[in-house]
Structure formats: C-alpha cells, structure tokens
C-alpha cells in the first residue's frame, strides 16, 4: 500500500502571546438540551452528556472510568487564564484522503483511510480521525464557541495528541466544511464513505508558515474512559462556517460537550 507522506510539523515557538488576536468567542451555550441521541451499545457502560449517566456520573458508571473524577489532568479546561496562549507555527502538509463518516451515538467521527504523519514535540504521530463537539468543550475566558473539531493523533506507543480547533459562525459558507456538512450521517450507527479525498489543510484552516496563537497543555480524553496523558494543542483562531452549516452539524450532534474540568497544578 502506498504510504501517505504527510510531513506535518508542529513547531512550537517560544514567547508569550502579546495580544489576543483571535475573534471573540461566542456566548456560552445556555439553551435547553438539544436532545442528544442515545449512545452506541456494545462498548463499556452506557454514558451520556446529560441526565443520570451524564458527565458528573461517568466515574461511577464503570470502575475503569474512575479517573474521570479522580484525575488531576482532565480535559477540557478553560483556556486563557492558567493556560495562556503562545505563538507557534503549525505546519501541516496533509495528503488528501478519503474518509468514512460514522455516527457513533456521541459524535460524528471521520476515520481517515490514509493516516497522516504529524511531527510534534513528542515525536511522530499519525492523525487517525477527527470528530466534533457542540458547543465547544474548551472555553476561552469562560466562553464557549458554537462547536469544536478534534483531530486525534496516535504514535507507535499508543500515546495520543489532539489538535483542537474552534468553529465559529460567519457570513459565508465554508467550501471545505461543506464537503462534510452535506454528507453527515443522521442516525446512530449510520456511516457514509466519502470517496473523493478531503483536503484536511483547507478544512482545518491552515496558515502555513505563519505563527499563530495556540494553547498547549497535558490533559485527557474528554469522553469515558477519560484516560490521561493526552498532549493537547488548541488553536486560538477558529475556523468559520455559515450559520446554515453550523445548524446542519448541530442537528446531527446535539449537545456533546463535557464541562470544563479543574486545572489543578497545570499552568
Ligand atoms: Zn473530542
């Protein structure tokens, strides 16, 4: 099989962020529940984003999930305070890849058929999937964005690095995002293969060679089992989609965000 060469380098430059150059986050989501679909069966205990099996109960639902409550490096967190942005250059040169969109009952996940290499400070990682949350899981100064994309990378040792990208609303359709929005699986268990390769660089709003504000910290998975040891990079600058595109995503996702967790000694 032809190996997809993806020379994605995440160059972490030093130096504090002089100005918060990013757009203001959207207001916190305060509306009623959008009715998250029931989770997929078959893997671990039943968990949800609300009600008796919601985030506050995850640690009690399965003994293997105790770190959800006991851990001191849980995600998401509020950014911009204890964890400040710094400027760095993110250079990602993804090979376009076909992908399979799958509705797993908690989110819509895009499995990349051609994993990409990411060279981050911890070594080589493969980007294996991305998925969405509504509203955003990370907040900035206490405010959430309408949505957040997580690009999940894994290395040979099974360690995880996640790139988080906020999604906000602007006046125009985002052409790269539309490739997904037009094909989102609507019901739990549905999957749709998208054969025409997706240009991840366009979807993720890359600005090659340009230093941009990012947040980095050590955290966890934001869903059970809440495993720690995840290297997080969250871009301060959101990608912009139209309101109609956001609504397509939200209609499928429902509410799918774990509340922010204590920072403890991370700063
Ligand atoms: Zn996620």
């Amino acid at each position: 099989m032809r190996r997809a060469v993806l020379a994605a380098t995440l160059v972490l430059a030093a130096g504090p962020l002089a100005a918060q150059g990013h757009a203001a986050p959207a207001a916190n989501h305060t509306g009623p529940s959008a009715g998250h679909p029931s989770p997929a069966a078959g893997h671990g205990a039943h968990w949800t984003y609300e009600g008796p099996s919601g985030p506050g109960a995850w640690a009690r639902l399965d003994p293997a999930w105790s770190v959800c409550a006991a851990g001191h490096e849980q995600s998401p967190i509020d950014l911009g305070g204890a964890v400040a942005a710094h400027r760095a250059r993110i250079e990602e040169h993804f090979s376009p890849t076909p992908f399979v969109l799958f509705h797993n009952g908690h989110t819509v996940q895009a499995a990349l058929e051609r994993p990409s290499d990411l060279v981050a400070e911890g070594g080589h990682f493969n980007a294996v999937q991305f998925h969405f949350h509504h509203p955003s899981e990370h907040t900035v100064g206490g405010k959430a964005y309408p949505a957040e994309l997580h690009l999940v990378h894994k290395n040979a040792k099974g360690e995880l690095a996640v790139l988080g990208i906020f999604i906000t609303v602007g006046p125009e359709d985002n052409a790269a995002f539309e490739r997904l929005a037009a094909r989102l699986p609507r019901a739990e268990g549905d999957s749709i293969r998208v054969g025409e390769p997706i240009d991840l660089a366009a979807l993720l709003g890359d600005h090659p060679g340009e230093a941009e504000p990012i947040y980095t910290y050590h955290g966890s998975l934001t869903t059970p089992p809440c495993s720690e040891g995840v290297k997080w990079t969250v871009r301060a600058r959101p990608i912009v989609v139209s309101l109609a595109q956001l609504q397509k995503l939200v209609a499928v996702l429902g509410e799918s965000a774990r509340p922010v967790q204590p920072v403890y000694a991370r700063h």
Side-chain angles (χ1 to χ4, degrees), residues 41 50 76 161 257:
E50 62 204 9

Side-chain angles (χ1 to χ4, degrees), residues 10 12 67 71-79 82-84 86 120-123 125 138 155 159-162 214-222 226-234 258 261-267:
L10 178 58
L12 300 179
V67 72
H72 280 206
E73 291 197 343
Q74 289 290 293
S75 295
I77 58 171
D78 183 55
L79 301 167
V83 177
H86 58 279
E121 55 180 329
F125 289 82
H138 291 95
N155 70 8
E159 297 166 331
L160 296 175
V162 184
I214 62 169
Y215 304 92
T216 57
Y217 76 97
H218 293 286
S220 73
L221 301 178
T222 66
C226 308
S227 314
E228 296 188 339
V230 177
K231 182 195 301 288
W232 276 95
T233 301
V234 181
R258 185 189 194 192
Q261 303 297 304
V263 172
Y264 291 110
R266 292 173 290 182
H267 47 73

Side-chain angles (χ1 to χ4, degrees), residues 2-266:
R2 186 167 74 88
R3 178 171 172 77
V5 178
L6 160 179
T9 32
L10 178 58
V11 183
L12 300 179
L17 176 65
Q20 296 287 329
H22 59 85
N28 256 336
H29 182 93
T30 53
S33 161
H36 194 68
S38 61
H43 295 287
H46 169 96
W47 63 270
T48 60
Y49 283 108
E50 62 204 9
S53 52
W58 290 351
R60 299 191 301 272
L61 296 174
D62 187 319
W65 301 351
S66 61
V67 72
C68 296
H72 280 206
E73 291 197 343
Q74 289 290 293
S75 295
I77 58 171
D78 183 55
L79 301 167
V83 177
H86 58 279
R87 284 196 180 273
R89 201 170 64 244
I90 299 177
E91 291 186 17
E92 297 162 30
H93 306 286
F94 295 103
S95 292
T97 174
F99 57 101
V100 176
L101 290 170
F102 176 60
H103 194 310
N104 67 10
H106 302 293
T107 185
V108 171
Q109 185 167 301
L112 307 177
E113 293 192 355
R114 217 177 276 152
S116 298
D117 293 340
L118 172 82
V119 182
E121 55 180 329
H124 289 260
F125 289 82
N126 284 332
V128 290
Q129 55 102 335
F130 64 87
H131 60 266
F132 299 93
H133 298 272
H134 161 72
S136 71
E137 296 204 298
H138 291 95
T139 58
V140 179
K143 295 189 174 175
Y145 284 88
E148 184 172 342
L149 183 157
H150 288 160
L151 180 62
V152 180
H153 306 77
K154 195 178 277 192
N155 70 8
K157 290 188 281 185
E159 297 166 331
L160 296 175
V162 184
L163 176 62
I165 302 176
F166 294 119
I167 299 175
T168 193
V169 168
E172 294 176 9
D173 277 349
N174 178 320
F177 188 79
E178 187 60 26
R179 300 273 314 285
L180 294 172
R183 294 172 167 85
L184 291 171
R186 299 190 166 277
E188 180 183 340
D190 285 355
S191 68
I192 298 173
R193 181 175 187 271
V194 182
E196 341 155 20
I198 187 172
D199 181 355
L200 276 173
L203 176 70
L204 303 180
D206 274 357
H207 299 271
E210 182 187 338
E212 59 173 306
I214 62 169
Y215 304 92
T216 57
Y217 76 97
H218 293 286
S220 73
L221 301 178
T222 66
T223 56
C226 308
S227 314
E228 296 188 339
V230 177
K231 182 195 301 288
W232 276 95
T233 301
V234 181
R235 276 184 164 160
R237 185 160 53 194
I239 57 174
V240 184
V241 305
S242 69
L243 181 59
Q245 288 179 315
L246 175 71
Q247 287 170 336
K248 287 180 192 170
L249 183 66
V250 169
V252 169
L253 288 183
E255 280 204 41
S256 46
R258 185 189 194 192
V260 292
Q261 303 297 304
V263 172
Y264 291 110
R266 292 173 290 182

